[in-house]
């Protein structure tokens, strides 16, 4: 079993900052990729940012230059520093971990329950 737990959401004014954290735990052999998705009301879930175990990163165009993803491989933890937040960043943010539970077993997708981010004055 793999558990994924997010924290750090909340209410912030436009232009403000928040830092999200996500920790994967349990039967983890290797956390290959960890990332953040978000889903706004009435919209599909979208990829915000992801980072590989080797440190390669990807950002959605809408957050480039404002959000920074980082990770601590030893702790199977990923962070999302969100700066210059806009009302359109309001969404539930979900952590995703692509994890191998044993050597030779294909990795699986594991999701957290989500943390709400509201950007409003």
């Amino acid at each position: 079993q793999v558990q994924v737990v997010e924290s750090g959401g909340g209410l912030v004014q436009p232009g403000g900052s928040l830092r999200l954290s996500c920790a994967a735990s349990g039967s983890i052999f290797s956390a290959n990729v960890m990332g953040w998705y978000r889903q706004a009301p009435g919209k599909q879930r979208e990829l915000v940012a992801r980072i590989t175990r080797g440190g390669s990163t990807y950002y959605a165009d809408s957050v480039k230059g404002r959000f920074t993803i980082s990770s601590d491989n030893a702790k199977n933890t990923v962070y999302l520093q969100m700066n210059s937040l806009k009302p359109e960043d309001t969404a539930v943010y979900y952590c995703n971990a692509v994890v191998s539970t044993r050597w030779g077993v294909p990795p699986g997708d594991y999701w957290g329950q989500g943390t709400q981010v509201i950007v409003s004055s």
Side-chain angles (χ1 to χ4, degrees):
Q1 283 281 28
V2 176
Q3 297 80 41
V4 178
V5 178
E6 307 104 333
S7 62
L11 173 64
V12 64
Q13 292 186 341
S17 299
L18 279 176
R19 188 187 194 219
L20 306 183
S21 300
C22 168
S25 62
S27 301
I28 297 174
F29 174 74
S30 176
N32 305 315
V33 182
M34 294 188 73
W36 292 94
Y37 290 70
R38 68 186 180 187
Q39 187 166 20
K43 295 187 176 181
Q44 289 189 328
R45 189 175 297 190
E46 62 174 357
L47 174 62
V48 175
R50 67 178 178 220
I51 185 167
T52 69
R53 188 169 183 83
S56 296
T57 58
Y58 165 87
Y59 295 94
D61 287 344
S62 59
V63 307
K64 281 182 182 177
R66 301 188 298 122
F67 291 10
T68 302
I69 191 169
S70 59
S71 64
D72 183 336
N73 290 337
K75 296 181 179 179
N76 295 318
T77 299
V78 64
Y79 308 95
L80 186 68
Q81 179 66 43
M82 305 186 293
N83 298 328
S84 302
L85 282 161
K86 304 176 181 179
E88 50 263 44
D89 294 317
T90 295
V92 178
Y93 284 69
Y94 296 91
C95 180
N96 170 258
V98 181
V99 169
S100 296
T101 55
R102 287 186 297 168
W103 184 85
V105 175
D109 266 316
Y110 298 89
W111 293 88
Q113 292 188 326
T115 184
Q116 178 75 57
V117 172
I118 299 174
V119 184
S120 176
S121 55

